[in-house]
Amino acid sequence: MADQITVTLPDGSPRSLPAGATAADLAAAVGPRLAGAAVAATVDGAEVDLAHPLHDGAKVAILTADSEAGRAVLRHSTAHVMAQAVLDLWPGAHFAIGPAIEDGFYYDFELPGGARFSPDDLPRIEARMREIVGEGQSFVREEHTIEEGLALFRDQPYKREIIEGVAHPAGEDDPGAAAAEPAPVGTGGISTYRNSSGFVDLCRGPHVPSTDRLGAFKLLRVAGAYWRGDERRPQLQRIYGTAWECDKALGEYLRRLEEAEERDHRRLGAELDLFHFPPELGPGLAVFHPKGGLVRRIMEDYSRQEHEAAGYEFVYTPHLSKAGLFETSGHLEWFADSMYPAMKVEGASYYPKPMNCPMHALIYRAQTRSYRELPLRLFELGTVYRFERSGVLHGLLRARGFTQDDAHIFCTPDQLGDELASLLAFVLRLLRTFGFEEFEADLSTRPERFIGEPAEWDRAEAALAGALDRSGLEYHLAEGEGAYYAPKIDVHVRDAIGRRWQIATLQVDFQEPARFELAYTGPDNALHRPHMIHRALFGSIERFLGVLLEHYAGALPTWLCPVQARVLPVRDDHRAYAEEVRSQLGRAGLRADLVEAGEPLGARIRRAKLEKVPYVLVVGDEDVAGGTVGVNARGSERPRRGVPVAELADKVAEEVALRRPAPAWG
RNA sequence: GCCGGUGUGGCGCAGUUGGUAGCGCAGGCGACUUGUAAUCGUCAGGUCGGGGGUUCGAGUCCCCCCACCGGCUCCA
């Protein structure tokens, strides 16, 4: 009826438009710059194409390419163009799903005749994509019935399967389906996008109006990926790519990838002579060299010190156990495939332990316990062995042998809340000491397969949630992600370049105490079942060191450095003074070494820098005369000359004592 | 485990259409004695991840295995 409609912009201001106006019209009405940057829109919170007609009273926001939501549209559209290119180049190829992901996109394909992509195919596909982009093909949305959709994709089994899923929502039978790509519209129909060349893809949208809006993209790698994430289903060929709003943003992203590569802890571990994985030992088994051993020992000593202060008692348990222990705990029933197989000795089966908890339960059970002893906190740097599948190993971050800073807290139901709250505080304090500032937690709840009673799980989950609420820590609910015996809180950190690492874990277990028949005598003189908290703060020492190396790009805080200072005499005749400086630093509790004047000073400085030594100390004529050193601190612009040795020693010793994350003079 | 890729002296790399392995760094030795990211010379070091095959002859072609890398699946 009315010729005009009124819509509301994100800032709350109303805007009148002719009836039938689209989101693109709105963008144009606001201004040419917005019209140029627009890639899609949201109407009442739902994402739509720019060609979407607006209704009266709609709340509309224009999505631009430089926002996260806008980039997601861009990436999704780029994925479609990639699919179009692949289907052009491999007639008869099947295509499956192609969503936007963080920093990019992928699309899964199945090539005719079981063919596979090779890395050489990526440039060919990219070239075809650039042609499509150059042609400025429009994305045209169409709505179809299920029947029409099935007919349209008669040669595309994966698309048909998705459509069937829309027709008959499987719900809980098919959890993987919706995860990767949102269902292509809900109720009884599907939507597609047709490019002007005739390429049609099943898709919920929205898309950019035309392929000419794309261009800052690059295909990165090919990989195998199971259809619907199910390893019993066919494995498809996945191509990963990245796409950005402009070449500059693309370039910055590619540089970030290079930077991440330079931070690779496996590479740093070799360069800094910290550890390696000898093939003779087998996959996933590391040895620590003297320097790596030193870093590790400092970490472990610090951990022990903090645990002692927090009321933990130290225990030691063996690496092996007879099978019965892991039958009692349930590990053999649940994780036998991920355990090293048994060795048979004297008619018994012995397994390397995959966890420490059953042994700690035995220590608890070694005597009758009174409520007065609780909470009982048993701590161990316990080395465990897990037979991880060969394809998942990843340096120290995923190894087959590793050491947990593991503890089990046995407590009464009344004590649970306070224990959990103080544990969360403990974790954050520890992680801050190691230079992490941003934390996120996941609360993982009862999985589909579990032991025990749902009511117990509910109580355990409530205890964890309560502790999180008290801590003020931001957290996400990870439903069904708990361990088979307990719900858990996983604490993640963000590293220096924004990557998220899972570090600590904290689990409330009502099951193992029952399986091991643990008990304590209460004030009522009756037997009660204790609760058991499993917790590891570093998680794995090895893994945590790997994360630290990536976080600091190998430039560890001074307190953790194997060599904290290196003294370099300018000439041989400064050697005696240099030795005096070195030993003075040693007396101040610092780890300092000395490199003689066998090669030019510049070369020695360069080597020290490559080894990321925090303080390079040069001593020459002036220093011998004045009792000073030249201080070249890691990360500083220029060296300082003439610093009194005592002053330097004090400053660095203080930095170490305070465990500062970077050289004080940096 | 699955898909793809890679595997040459401690490390980083070169090795044309198959004809019996090179370079840089690191290391040893010698010289140089040096004020803030690579001094010069010299020596030594590999049979080319392992095994099998094709060939007169294989680092270079084929097969099997192993390890590593990138993903997928998994992660108590």
Side-chain angles (χ1 to χ4, degrees), chain A residues 266-431:
Chain A
R266 295 165 298 191
R267 171 180 168 159
L268 290 165
E271 284 174 0
L272 302 177
D273 192 20
L274 300 176
F275 56 83
H276 85 289
F277 290 84
E280 291 83 348
L281 295 188
L285 299 169
V287 293
F288 280 75
H289 303 188
K291 285 180 182 167
L294 184 48
V295 177
R296 187 175 163 158
R297 202 192 77 218
I298 296 165
M299 293 169 61
E300 291 174 353
D301 285 349
Y302 177 66
S303 170
R304 286 196 184 95
Q305 180 188 319
E306 292 297 300
H307 279 89
E308 184 167 26
Y312 287 77
E313 299 175 88
F314 294 9
V315 299
Y316 293 86
T317 64
H319 291 73
L320 301 177
S321 157
K322 286 200 289 187
L325 183 73
F326 300 117
E327 283 163 6
T328 303
S329 68
H331 289 104
L332 269 175
E333 184 189 342
W334 290 77
F335 286 106
D337 288 349
S338 313
M339 289 169 64
Y340 275 90
M343 0 183 177
K344 311 271 187 197
V345 189
E346 294 172 336
S349 290
Y350 286 77
Y351 286 89
K353 65 176 170 182
M355 287 190 86
N356 303 300
C357 50
M359 296 187 180
H360 290 188
L362 296 183
I363 294 171
Y364 180 93
R365 204 171 68 177
Q367 53 205 256
T368 55
R369 301 287 179 180
S370 154
Y371 73 96
R372 295 175 186 276
E373 293 177 73
L374 305 185
L376 182 68
R377 307 182 185 94
L378 303 182
F379 175 84
E380 175 176 20
L381 290 170
T383 301
V384 298
Y385 295 90
R386 299 180 181 177
F387 188 68
E388 303 281 6
R389 296 220 264 177
S390 60
V392 307
L393 299 173
H394 187 89
L396 293 179
L397 301 181
R398 191 83 181 267
R400 283 181 172 169
F402 57 95
T403 303
Q404 298 176 309
D405 59 333
D406 202 5
H408 296 91
I409 299 170
F410 302 88
C411 65
T412 68
D414 288 349
Q415 293 166 336
L416 192 56
D418 285 347
E419 276 301 310
L420 292 173
S422 70
L423 265 172
L424 277 175
F426 191 178
V427 173
L428 298 189
R429 195 167 68 241
L430 184 86
L431 295 180

Side-chain angles (χ1 to χ4, degrees), chain A residues 144-265:
Chain A
H144 300 279
T145 64
I146 299 292
E147 292 68 30
E148 288 167 349
L150 291 173
L152 196 53
F153 292 101
R154 72 180 70 80
D155 299 325
Q156 290 291 344
Y158 299 107
K159 296 296 179 188
R160 288 173 59 94
E161 190 173 326
I162 296 168
I163 296 170
E164 300 279 7
V166 174
H168 309 288
E172 63 280 0
D173 291 324
D174 201 7
E181 189 172 36
V185 304
T187 54
I190 58 152
S191 61
T192 62
Y193 280 77
R194 182 181 297 275
N195 287 17
S196 32
S197 67
F199 171 77
V200 182
D201 196 356
L202 177 68
C203 185
R204 183 194 57 156
H207 276 293
V208 297
S210 160
T211 58
D212 62 17
R213 302 301 305 275
L214 311 173
F217 63 84
K218 183 172 169 57
L219 302 188
L220 297 176
R221 61 181 65 95
V222 303
Y226 298 106
W227 170 233
R228 301 216 149 163
D230 184 341
E231 65 181 327
R232 293 162 304 189
R233 303 251 221 161
Q235 192 166 40
L236 308 177
Q237 296 279 295
R238 173 171 298 178
I239 301 179
Y240 283 95
T242 187
W244 297 81
E245 66 273 21
C246 61
D247 287 336
K248 182 161 172 282
L250 173 64
E252 282 168 9
Y253 173 69
L254 295 177
R255 266 196 299 285
R256 256 202 289 149
L257 288 186
E258 283 171 28
E259 195 190 339
E261 210 169 305
E262 281 163 19
R263 288 172 178 263
D264 191 315
H265 77 281

Side-chain angles (χ1 to χ4, degrees), chain A residues 396-557:
Chain A
L396 293 179
L397 301 181
R398 191 83 181 267
R400 283 181 172 169
F402 57 95
T403 303
Q404 298 176 309
D405 59 333
D406 202 5
H408 296 91
I409 299 170
F410 302 88
C411 65
T412 68
D414 288 349
Q415 293 166 336
L416 192 56
D418 285 347
E419 276 301 310
L420 292 173
S422 70
L423 265 172
L424 277 175
F426 191 178
V427 173
L428 298 189
R429 195 167 68 241
L430 184 86
L431 295 180
R432 286 197 176 98
T433 301
F434 284 87
F436 295 104
E437 291 299 333
E438 275 187 78
F439 311 102
E440 293 159 23
D442 282 351
L443 173 55
S444 298
T445 58
R446 191 178 73 232
E448 279 183 45
R449 288 184 67 212
F450 63 96
I451 57 177
E453 296 304 317
E456 293 174 324
W457 278 80
D458 292 344
R459 276 165 43 226
E461 287 169 14
L464 288 170
L468 282 167
D469 291 337
R470 279 170 70 180
S471 75
L473 192 60
E474 180 192 336
Y475 72 95
H476 306 96
L477 200 59
E479 282 186 63
E481 298 293 314
Y484 70 86
Y485 55 82
K488 59 177 179 171
I489 293 170
D490 290 323
V491 178
H492 298 73
V493 299
R494 292 268 174 193
D495 75 4
I497 58 173
R499 293 172 302 178
R500 190 171 189 259
W501 303 96
Q502 205 249 95
I503 305 287
T505 187
L506 211 152
Q507 308 167 351
V508 171
D509 182 1
F510 294 172
Q511 307 311 322
E512 266 196 89
R515 288 184 162 237
F516 281 90
E517 300 182 316
L518 305 185
Y520 64 90
T521 307
D524 57 358
N525 202 32
L527 285 180
H528 301 274
R529 184 83 70 210
H531 293 338
M532 185 172 175
I533 301 170
H534 306 241
R535 39 109 293 167
L537 308 188
F538 291 141
S540 138
I541 310 290
E542 291 84 348
R543 178 182 156 82
F544 190 72
L545 175 58
V547 172
L548 274 185
L549 286 170
E550 304 239 353
H551 177 56
Y552 287 113
L556 293 171

